[in-house]
Amino acid sequence: MFSKINSFGVHGVEGFPVTVEADVSDGLPGFIMVGFLSEAVREAQERVRTALKNAGIHLPPKKVMVNLSPGDIRKEGTAYDLAIAAAVLCCLGEASEAGLEKSAFIGELGLDGCVKPVKGVLPRVFAAAGQGIRRMFVPSENTVEG
């Protein structure tokens, strides 16, 4: 199955759209991420896998491919975790993509499945509004326990 989720990155002080595409298919089991990613973004595969497991959702032994597009702009930080998890959940049939074309996901995942706030939200929200995004899934400081 294939899914596509909106997210946004920050380059300097400007936000830019990032499309998180995921595909779960038969093949050698693994979790592969591409798209000019920093090490922090590459580590999302382990955060997402562990957060889903601890939320009671086990990834099947399949090939999980995630692409963060555009591929010519470096993606930094942990803000793509939530979008990656949402795309994978849609591929697994655990969530529906219906109505999400005007939505965006931004947030870091804790290993227990909680969503943590990230820095640089304001430029992302402005960029999202400019792209016609009507709903943002972004954690606020006071929603995280700790």
Side-chain angles (χ1 to χ4, degrees):
M1 297 252 333
F2 171 82
S3 70
K4 189 170 14 175
I5 297 291
N6 296 311
S7 190
F8 286 82
V10 177
H11 184 71
V13 295
E14 298 290 321
F16 65 93
V18 173
T19 302
V20 178
E21 300 171 314
D23 182 72
V24 176
S25 60
D26 292 333
L28 286 176
F31 200 121
I32 303 158
M33 292 182 46
V34 297
F36 199 16
L37 312 174
S38 71
E39 189 60 30
V41 179
R42 286 196 186 285
E43 292 169 351
Q45 62 187 322
E46 294 306 322
R47 285 189 300 275
V48 167
R49 183 191 323 264
T50 304
L52 292 177
K53 176 186 68 85
N54 288 326
I57 299 166
H58 295 278
L59 292 177
K62 293 187 176 267
K63 180 180 178 182
V64 178
M65 171 67 90
V66 177
N67 177 42
L68 277 68
S69 178
D72 62 342
I73 301 175
R74 186 160 175 87
K75 275 58 114 214
E76 309 255 352
T78 57
Y80 303 104
D81 291 4
L82 185 59
I84 293 166
V88 170
L89 287 170
C90 288
C91 284
L92 296 175
E94 296 285 337
S96 172
E97 239 182 301
L100 294 183
E101 61 276 347
K102 293 292 183 186
S103 301
F105 293 79
I106 297 168
E108 177 182 345
L109 287 180
L111 298 183
D112 61 353
C114 73
V115 182
K116 300 177 180 182
V118 294
K119 295 181 180 180
V121 171
L122 195 56
R124 296 171 203 260
V125 170
F126 285 146
Q131 295 284 318
I133 298 296
R134 301 289 179 241
R135 251 187 322 193
M136 296 283 293
F137 296 92
V138 181
S140 67
E141 289 288 341
N142 56 2
T143 60
V144 177
E145 296 180 14

